[in-house]
């Protein structure tokens, strides 16, 4: 009997004390552009737009650089440029929490924000990314990004997106009024050429500003609502 028990104990002890690299959290890295596209508006405006994610870490902790922006091709100027540097940890099976800092270069003075948010997969397979911001001027706002993918086949995918921004205080210098600031909705039909690593798409995007934010835009001679035809690709590696 002892000859059976003792080897079993030795095996169990060996498993507990295994500290080799195979037992350490697996480090991963990647680069992904959910949007890398050209937009043409109903007012003949041409934009280059991107929304990228660079990440490194483990399932327990990731460091992410999130970047997005809009570049006016004719004017050769940025209409918006945003960079976030955040740390992200899991808080449930389907959601992660993140915190960090955001650097924003809108039309007007630059802004720096503290960031606190959650990202993950909601019921019915909606991808959700919700963030709360506090600027260096003391202004607060929140942003919700949601996406749903409808698979017609393993290759043809229709993605519906919604981005909405709400401000809890006014920041007139950068054209932000209190309340619902703006929404962006889009539909993009993509074809998966290389195993979700490269998927070109065509689509349509609608942008709209609301309330005081719309009034500020009109006062500066800008538009409050635009439709865009888009062509681009999702890229991941």
């Amino acid at each position: 009997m002892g000859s059976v028990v003792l080897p079993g104990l030795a095996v169990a002890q060996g498993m507990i004390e295994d500290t080799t690299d195979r037992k350490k959290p697996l480090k991963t890295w990647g680069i992904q552009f959910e949007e890398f596209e050209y937009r043409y508006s109903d007012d003949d405006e041409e934009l280059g737009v991107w929304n990228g994610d660079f990440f490194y870490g483990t399932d327990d902790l990731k460091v992410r650089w999130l970047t997005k922006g809009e570049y006016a091709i004719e004017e050769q100027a940025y209409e918006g440029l945003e960079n976030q540097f955040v740390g992200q940890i899991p808080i449930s099976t389907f959601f992660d929490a993140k915190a960090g800092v955001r650097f924003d270069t809108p039309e007007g003075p630059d802004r720096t924000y503290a960031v606190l948010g959650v990202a993950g997969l909601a019921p019915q397979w909606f991808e959700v990314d919700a963030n709360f911001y506090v600027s260096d001027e003391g202004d607060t706002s929140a942003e919700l990004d949601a996406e749903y993918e409808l698979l017609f086949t393993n290759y043809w995918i229709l993605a519906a997106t919604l981005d909405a921004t709400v401000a809890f205080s006014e920041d007139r210098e950068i054209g932000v009024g209190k309340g619902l600031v703006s929404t962006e909705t889009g539909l993009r039909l993509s074809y998966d050429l290389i195993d979700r690593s490269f998927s070109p798409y065509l689509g349509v995007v609608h942008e709209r500003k609301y309330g005081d934010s719309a009034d500020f835009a009109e006062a500066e001679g800008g538009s409050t609502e635009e439709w865009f035809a888009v062509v681009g690709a999702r890229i991941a590696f």
Side-chain angles (χ1 to χ4, degrees), residues 1-13:
M1 181 69 175
S3 62
V4 176
V5 174
L6 290 176
L9 291 174
V11 171
Q13 184 177 11

XYZ file of all heavy atoms in Angstrom, residues 1-13:
85
model
N 0.832 -1.208 0.000
C 0.000 0.000 0.000
C 0.865 1.255 0.000
O 0.648 2.209 -0.720
C -0.921 -0.023 1.237
C -1.854 1.182 1.345
S -3.113 1.158 0.049
C -4.070 2.559 0.578
N 1.950 1.237 0.855
C 2.833 2.399 0.937
C 3.536 2.670 -0.365
O 3.767 3.807 -0.736
N 3.868 1.603 -1.092
C 4.556 1.792 -2.368
C 3.667 2.460 -3.400
O 4.144 3.036 -4.367
C 5.046 0.437 -2.898
O 3.939 -0.422 -3.136
N 2.335 2.411 -3.236
C 1.400 3.069 -4.146
C 1.189 4.520 -3.757
O 1.170 5.422 -4.583
C 0.042 2.324 -4.156
C -0.949 3.076 -5.019
C 0.229 0.898 -4.663
N 1.067 4.791 -2.435
C 0.780 6.139 -1.947
C 1.965 7.073 -2.128
O 1.827 8.212 -2.576
C 0.356 6.088 -0.465
C 0.206 7.501 0.078
C -0.936 5.315 -0.316
N 3.163 6.609 -1.782
C 4.335 7.483 -1.812
C 4.653 8.018 -3.202
O 4.904 9.217 -3.349
C 5.546 6.747 -1.227
C 5.477 6.499 0.278
C 6.676 5.689 0.741
C 5.415 7.825 1.039
N 4.630 7.192 -4.266
C 4.834 7.766 -5.595
C 3.779 8.796 -5.966
O 4.058 9.797 -6.611
C 4.772 6.539 -6.518
C 5.166 5.402 -5.652
C 4.601 5.728 -4.300
N 2.530 8.561 -5.530
C 1.467 9.525 -5.810
C 1.726 10.858 -5.147
O 1.515 11.918 -5.730
N 2.216 10.814 -3.889
C 2.541 12.050 -3.182
C 3.697 12.773 -3.858
O 3.721 14.002 -3.949
C 2.897 11.740 -1.722
C 1.742 11.267 -0.838
C 2.272 10.857 0.537
C 0.693 12.358 -0.693
N 4.668 12.009 -4.323
C 5.821 12.615 -4.987
C 5.400 13.333 -6.263
O 5.865 14.427 -6.576
C 6.864 11.533 -5.305
N 4.479 12.720 -7.018
C 3.985 13.346 -8.250
C 3.235 14.624 -7.942
O 3.423 15.655 -8.571
C 3.080 12.360 -9.016
C 2.387 13.081 -10.165
C 3.896 11.195 -9.542
N 2.347 14.581 -6.914
C 1.584 15.768 -6.533
C 2.497 16.893 -6.094
O 2.299 18.055 -6.456
C 0.601 15.411 -5.412
N 3.531 16.567 -5.311
C 4.465 17.593 -4.841
C 5.213 18.206 -6.016
O 5.432 19.411 -6.081
C 5.447 16.988 -3.840
C 6.386 18.032 -3.226
C 7.306 17.413 -2.184
O 7.391 16.195 -2.063
N 7.978 18.252 -1.441
